[in-house]
Amino acid sequence: MRSALLSLVALASGGCTGTDCSAGAYGAAAGGNYRRTPNKGKLSLEEVSNTAEETEDTEEVAKTSGAKTLTFYMYRAQNQESYPIENNNLATLSGVMWYVHNEVVRMSCPRHYNINRILRFKVTMHNPEEVYNGWGDKHPQFGPFLAFDHGQCTVPNATTNYFDKYGYYVGCQTQHGKSYPGNVYWYSLPGPCPAEKLEEKSWWCKVTHPGGQCGQPDGGSSCTWHVDSAGEISLNELSGIADYDKFCSEHKREFVVESDKGVGLDFWNGLNDAAQNEKRVEAAKKLFLTKYPEQEDLATPPCEW
């Protein structure tokens, strides 16, 4: 235990202890990445020159490596509470609209989990090379999707089978057979101590299992994604409800499954109507554009899963 603590202190200060120095291992402390290289002693001028050339060659290979830095939007349906986005599942706009339609507004007055808004995040992602090279000829930019519930990854043995092998990668999953248009994807963003429940994440677990969030993703095992808030829209303004409490008190409903339409509201009519679903997604896009005209239009990278 004492040696582990000494190693942690060394990592935080940029140094190393014991066999870690000769191993050239990677360590993480306080959410950062630290690379330590073996002590090779003094170098001759020729060796220095060769090392510089090797470094340039390595950097050139890194520029052309398979795993790429990608920037795009993710979305999440949420209530009025605010909490960290790490250790959660997000979606494309079509994906989150599908979720709202199928899981949220069908339980209106109150809505499921009191969800009342759609948040947008600008995500920069660079997954490890282990992801790109880990599935044969598939060469995916994303890793397989991992489900999270209340801040915990619910996939059995996820640490051993995924995080230890491929790093804390950004995952995705295509939702096939949905009537919403375009890319209906779900995403996973692993954060600190992803295998434990939210209330059981100890400080030691967070240090030794740091997750993938960092300032500038570089493809390191614990530096794979960064998010910036990119605005939000409310479900009320999207569907045209001026006063939700009044709407409910008048016994109106956003969507009733049995009749496949709303009561006093027609925005969500037709759960499996592809044309109407496309209009709903476009309405959400237009609302984001109206509220945040300065935000750039970003393409959604394909999900290989």
Side-chain angles (χ1 to χ4, degrees):
M1 181 66 174
R2 183 175 180 274
S3 62
L5 289 174
L6 288 174
S7 295
L8 175 60
V9 172
L11 287 173
S13 62
C16 57
T17 63
T19 58
D20 288 338
C21 289
S22 61
Y26 284 86
N33 292 319
Y34 303 84
R35 184 184 180 104
R36 295 163 286 149
T37 55
N39 181 3
K40 297 182 179 179
K42 296 182 179 180
L43 299 176
S44 67
L45 289 176
E46 180 179 359
E47 287 173 320
V48 169
S49 177
N50 291 339
T51 301
E53 291 175 0
E54 289 173 2
T55 300
E56 292 176 357
D57 291 342
T58 301
E59 291 175 347
E60 187 62 31
V61 169
K63 291 178 183 178
T64 59
S65 64
K68 297 178 173 58
T69 298
L70 303 172
T71 301
F72 55 101
Y73 290 124
M74 290 186 188
Y75 300 81
R76 180 170 174 81
Q78 192 166 308
N79 56 27
Q80 209 54 42
E81 295 182 22
S82 296
Y83 46 83
I85 204 63
E86 63 207 17
N87 290 324
N88 270 306
N89 296 130
L90 289 83
T92 54
L93 184 56
S94 287
V96 80
M97 288 291 287
W98 179 92
Y99 172 78
V100 169
H101 203 170
N102 283 266
E103 302 292 340
V104 177
V105 298
R106 65 186 294 173
M107 300 177 67
S108 60
C109 297
R111 298 184 181 112
H112 191 43
Y113 294 131
N114 291 313
I115 288 172
N116 61 1
R117 55 184 178 149
I118 295 175
L119 308 183
R120 181 172 65 176
F121 299 92
K122 183 179 179 180
V123 179
T124 299
M125 175 193 93
H126 190 133
N127 272 336
E129 287 296 310
E130 288 82 353
V131 172
Y132 183 80
N133 294 318
W135 281 274
D137 294 337
K138 191 181 187 75
H139 292 309
Q141 293 298 324
F142 291 89
F145 173 84
L146 298 173
F148 283 85
D149 186 24
H150 297 291
Q152 179 187 31
C153 181
T154 58
V155 177
N157 303 313
T159 297
T160 302
N161 294 335
Y162 294 101
F163 301 133
D164 287 349
K165 290 182 178 180
Y166 308 107
Y168 297 95
Y169 66 81
V170 178
C172 73
Q173 182 183 75
T174 302
Q175 302 300 304
H176 297 286
K178 308 302 183 187
S179 58
Y180 268 79
N183 306 316
V184 184
Y185 302 156
W186 289 354
Y187 300 111
S188 50
L189 293 178
C193 195
E196 300 298 329
K197 295 180 180 178
L198 190 61
E199 63 276 7
E200 297 177 1
K201 298 181 189 293
S202 68
W203 72 271
W204 183 249
C205 183
K206 292 178 181 179
V207 168
T208 56
H209 301 280
Q213 187 174 17
C214 61
Q216 294 182 323
D218 59 9
S221 63
S222 56
C223 189
T224 61
W225 60 273
H226 175 81
V227 298
D228 291 303
S229 176
E232 65 178 74
I233 58 175
S234 80
L235 297 184
N236 288 346
E237 59 185 341
L238 175 62
S239 60
I241 299 175
D243 185 328
Y244 189 71
D245 290 336
K246 182 180 179 182
F247 177 86
C248 292
S249 68
E250 294 175 349
H251 305 291
K252 297 178 181 179
R253 293 293 182 270
E254 290 169 274
F255 182 70
V256 179
V257 176
E258 291 76 13
S259 61
D260 198 32
K261 61 183 181 180
V263 177
L265 184 76
D266 62 6
F267 181 81
W268 298 103
N269 288 6
L271 180 65
N272 296 309
D273 188 325
Q276 290 301 315
N277 288 337
E278 185 171 3
K279 291 180 180 179
R280 282 184 269 267
V281 172
E282 288 302 316
K285 287 182 180 178
K286 183 177 180 180
L287 188 52
F288 270 112
L289 180 61
T290 300
K291 294 187 68 175
Y292 308 99
E294 74 285 357
Q295 294 282 355
E296 56 191 319
D297 185 22
L298 298 174
T300 300
C303 173
E304 304 93 346
W305 302 92

